[in-house]
Amino acid sequence: MIQFEGDRDFAPPPALVWGRLSDARFLVTCIPGVESVARSEPGEAVCTIRPGFSFVRGTLDITVRVAEVVPEKSIKLLLQSKGIGSSSVAEVLLTLAPHNGDTRVHWQVQVTELGGLLKLAPQGLIRASAQKVIADAWTMVEAQLASTVRKEPRTQ
């Protein structure tokens, strides 16, 4: 099992951040390399990506499922990927809390299954690639949230 963990701070309040991060439709817009979205519902979304890794050729179908939610506090996501000769399963736990006027998201990712060619790839290569995807996804989340805040009318 491969595990990752960290914290991210976002300017919008916890209610807005939680609303976006608990919506699979929003989350698939933040996955790097999305080519198409086959299904997009609040609780589950399926997309196809073309990963930029030399050890994974072709495309991967990614399913993002919102598994558990505690309103404005936490979200558990299940991510499954399937491609030609490769598959993976990951669990993501997001915990939100106010922090210095912003929202802090503590995130934990556990890759619970690797199949096919991914199982044979060196763990260091998998870890480095996953860290890059996670960092890029958080950058996209941050940009999407900033865009959402700019679009919302301000109250006085």
Side-chain angles (χ1 to χ4, degrees), residues 61-115:
D61 293 327
I62 309 280
T63 301
V64 177
R65 187 166 56 90
V66 179
E68 297 173 20
V69 294
V70 176
E72 298 184 34
K73 300 280 186 215
S74 67
I75 306 152
K76 182 177 182 180
L77 306 168
L78 299 177
L79 284 76
Q80 292 182 290
S81 74
K82 293 180 185 176
I84 296 174
S86 64
S87 64
S88 68
V89 176
E91 293 181 5
V92 180
L93 179 61
L94 307 173
T95 307
L96 289 76
H99 180 75
N100 295 333
D102 293 336
T103 301
R104 173 156 291 169
V105 176
H106 179 76
W107 57 270
Q108 298 171 293
V109 177
Q110 289 187 345
V111 180
T112 58
E113 293 178 37
L114 291 174

Side-chain angles (χ1 to χ4, degrees), residues 13-97:
L16 182 101
V17 175
W18 184 87
R20 297 299 190 268
L21 294 180
S22 63
D23 186 344
R25 296 171 300 189
F26 172 80
L27 294 172
V28 295
T29 68
C30 301
I31 296 174
V34 170
E35 287 191 341
S36 64
V37 176
R39 184 171 61 242
S40 183
E41 299 169 9
E44 184 173 287
V46 178
C47 65
T48 300
I49 68 166
R50 185 169 302 279
F53 308 127
S54 61
F55 59 92
V56 178
R57 296 286 182 201
T59 60
L60 292 174
D61 293 327
I62 309 280
T63 301
V64 177
R65 187 166 56 90
V66 179
E68 297 173 20
V69 294
V70 176
E72 298 184 34
K73 300 280 186 215
S74 67
I75 306 152
K76 182 177 182 180
L77 306 168
L78 299 177
L79 284 76
Q80 292 182 290
S81 74
K82 293 180 185 176
I84 296 174
S86 64
S87 64
S88 68
V89 176
E91 293 181 5
V92 180
L93 179 61
L94 307 173
T95 307
L96 289 76

